[in-house]
Amino acid sequence: MPVPQNSTPSAATSGTHIAVENLQIHYGTVLAVRGVSFTVEQGEQLTLLGPSGCGKTTTLRAIAGLEKPTSGEIRIGGAPVYSSARKVNLPAENRGLSMVFQSYAIWPHMTVFENVAYGLRVRRESKAEIEAKVDRALDMVQMRPYRDRRASQLSGGQQQRVALARAFVFSPSVLLFDEPLSNLDAKLRGDMRIELRELQHRLGITSVYVTHDLEEALAMSDRIVVMRDGVIEQVGTPNEIYNLPRNAFVADFVGSANLISGRHRADLDTDGLVAIETAGGDIVYGSAYGRPIGDTATMSVRTVHFKFSTQRPAGERNVWPVKVDRMVFQGDFTQVHVTWSGQHLVIRCAALEPTEGAHDAFMSVDPRRVVLLEAEKAGA
Ligand code: ATP
């Protein structure tokens, strides 16, 4: 049922490129990363997504070699670059990767060329080699025409392109991105997302991308790792993360969702669907997607998946009368706030003329869009 969201085919070939195993990182007594494990495949774009303070930047910096973990292992191309057990901790410059930061950290008084050439000069590469490599990197980000311009005379987007060229110039095997677009305005950010994604695919370069921006993560990633409080909550494709969130945290963080809880009515389970009864006595049919269901259960429904109508729609299951509390016109869509079964829900409808005042209407939802969440672990 879930529909693929990214039409560009994955550039990933085969084999694990980066493996992070049971990574723990302390800052003093604070445990910022609590035993995180994931892999990044060759040519894959993997995104670490989560709210501020969840440990995504710390994890990225540990891969880069800028943060020393407390324990665990990180392998790049099969070789450990950090391992507490084997007492390995390779310096950042020997890990074969480049990093692009939120603040572009380019030198305003230098030209575009000098900015990109700087790292190669430090490595004492020949003049001819530097010229060729810098021009190739500038071509990749369409900045060759600005080669001799001072960085201070560039727009924010152009400066970020220079920062990208500076990362590409070393032909790294891995690119790490720490919120590289967050200083750009919304329009430019949208354009740069597409550009970056296409570039990453074209070059087939393995990358790890950190962001707290959901849209960015959904649009750019082959897979997403959702983090909270130093642990991983879910790993999956954008489609899986959005359509089959594991728990209430992911459902809520990854897009807007309504949560509906109730007791399992096994006697009403039918046609591969599971039924719950809400505290208000309404029966809701949903899909378990192979997940076990307990005596009580919580289901998640995206605000866009509810259907709203003033006439009772056809069908018996998952059709309910609702009281409309408020309709908020938001341009591309209208947000309808309703009271149903003793709780408040939000429905997002396209192109609906809002009506004033409270009134009665109907709400319905396809049971395949009502997703059973995993039971929360005790203490989670
Ligand atoms: P953000 O999006 O705000 O950057 P994040 O998910 O990247 O958040 P981290 O920066 O990795 O989170 O921080 C994880 C935890 O470690 C937070 O609780 C943070 O306060 C703490 N932390 C990060 N850097 C340090 C530091 N240098 N010293 C002490 N604590 C730190």
Side-chain angles (χ1 to χ4, degrees):
M1 176 273 302
V3 272
Q5 291 175 334
N6 294 338
S7 55
T8 329
S10 168
T13 53
S14 60
T16 296
H17 197 163
I18 305 172
V20 174
E21 266 173 27
N22 208 13
L23 193 70
Q24 288 211 8
I25 305 170
H26 280 89
Y27 288 112
T29 54
V30 176
L31 186 53
V33 177
R34 307 162 178 250
V36 157
S37 302
F38 60 89
T39 57
V40 193
E41 301 306 300
Q42 200 82 42
E44 186 180 34
Q45 165 114 350
L46 182 104
T47 296
L48 305 177
L49 173 71
S52 184
C54 71
K56 50 196 189 300
T57 300
T58 303
T59 303
L60 189 80
R61 288 174 58 83
I63 297 172
L66 302 174
E67 213 67 72
K68 187 169 186 290
T70 315
S71 62
E73 185 161 302
I74 302 169
R75 292 186 300 277
I76 299 178
V81 293
Y82 169 79
S83 169
S84 52
R86 297 190 229 185
K87 302 216 176 335
V88 174
N89 190 20
L90 222 60
E93 60 272 24
N94 296 345
R95 294 189 179 194
L97 38 81
S98 284
M99 192 153 165
V100 182
F101 297 93
Q102 176 178 350
S103 53
Y104 334 122
I106 58 175
W107 292 285
H109 58 286
M110 287 190 192
T111 64
V112 166
F113 179 88
E114 285 161 354
N115 261 288
V116 180
Y118 183 83
L120 300 175
R121 290 228 170 93
V122 170
R123 293 183 183 193
R124 299 188 178 286
E125 300 207 6
S126 76
K127 197 161 179 284
E129 218 168 359
I130 292 174
E131 290 269 340
K133 285 183 179 174
V134 171
D135 281 346
R136 202 172 59 224
L138 289 177
D139 276 341
M140 278 183 197
V141 295
Q142 286 116 46
M143 284 297 288
R144 178 108 77 117
Y146 300 88
R147 194 176 184 268
D148 299 317
R149 196 182 277 194
R150 273 167 178 257
S152 57
Q153 295 164 341
L154 300 173
S155 71
Q158 290 167 333
Q159 290 187 33
Q160 190 54 296
R161 285 204 182 95
V162 174
L164 277 176
R166 207 174 42 186
F168 287 135
V169 83
F170 297 111
S171 307
S173 72
V174 172
L175 268 179
L176 305 178
F177 296 96
D178 188 5
E179 310 238 11
L181 307 183
S182 57
N183 279 346
L184 306 178
D185 66 48
K187 168 86 174 67
L188 189 57
R189 204 160 59 223
D191 295 346
M192 286 291 287
R193 256 179 221 162
I194 297 168
E195 250 182 61
L196 250 187
R197 171 79 175 158
E198 281 174 357
L199 198 58
Q200 189 264 339
H201 268 269
R202 201 166 67 235
L203 301 177
I205 199 160
T206 306
S207 58
V208 185
Y209 194 98
V210 159
T211 184
H212 63 268
D213 183 320
L214 166 70
E215 268 185 42
E216 199 155 291
L218 292 175
M220 295 192 58
S221 320
D222 292 312
R223 280 186 311 144
I224 299 173
V225 173
V226 183
M227 293 181 71
R228 169 174 60 164
D229 291 340
V231 298
I232 292 177
E233 291 290 338
Q234 187 167 1
V235 182
T237 61
N239 182 41
E240 285 163 350
I241 296 281
Y242 185 83
N243 282 310
L244 301 177
R246 262 183 64 194
N247 55 28
F249 173 79
V250 179
D252 192 46
F253 189 73
V254 181
S256 44
N258 295 284
L259 300 181
I260 300 171
S261 298
R263 76 188 167 90
H264 182 202
R265 287 287 305 270
D267 56 315
L268 298 179
D269 286 357
T270 180
D271 297 338
L273 302 174
V274 291
I276 61 167
E277 183 176 338
T278 65
D282 286 291
I283 302 297
V284 180
Y285 288 92
S287 302
Y289 295 102
R291 294 171 180 167
I293 183 164
D295 293 340
T296 60
T298 300
M299 311 272 208
S300 162
V301 185
R302 297 269 166 224
T303 55
V304 290
H305 289 152
F306 273 124
K307 293 204 166 49
F308 176 80
S309 54
T310 48
Q311 306 290 320
R312 187 180 182 93
E316 289 299 312
R317 284 182 202 144
N318 290 2
V319 176
W320 306 277
V322 291
K323 188 170 111 23
V324 178
D325 300 321
R326 210 164 60 242
M327 293 175 94
V328 184
F329 177 64
Q330 302 209 284
D332 289 347
F333 61 90
T334 299
Q335 198 115 289
V336 186
H337 297 253
V338 302
T339 302
W340 164 84
S341 212
Q343 72 176 107
H344 296 290
L345 298 178
V346 178
I347 306 172
R348 188 176 276 208
C349 311
L352 186 74
E353 281 298 316
T355 48
E356 290 295 324
H359 62 94
D360 295 325
F362 293 90
M363 165 182 100
S364 61
V365 63
D366 181 338
R368 291 172 304 171
R369 296 298 197 180
V370 184
V371 177
L372 174 71
L373 300 179
E374 289 179 8
E376 290 277 348
K377 294 183 280 289

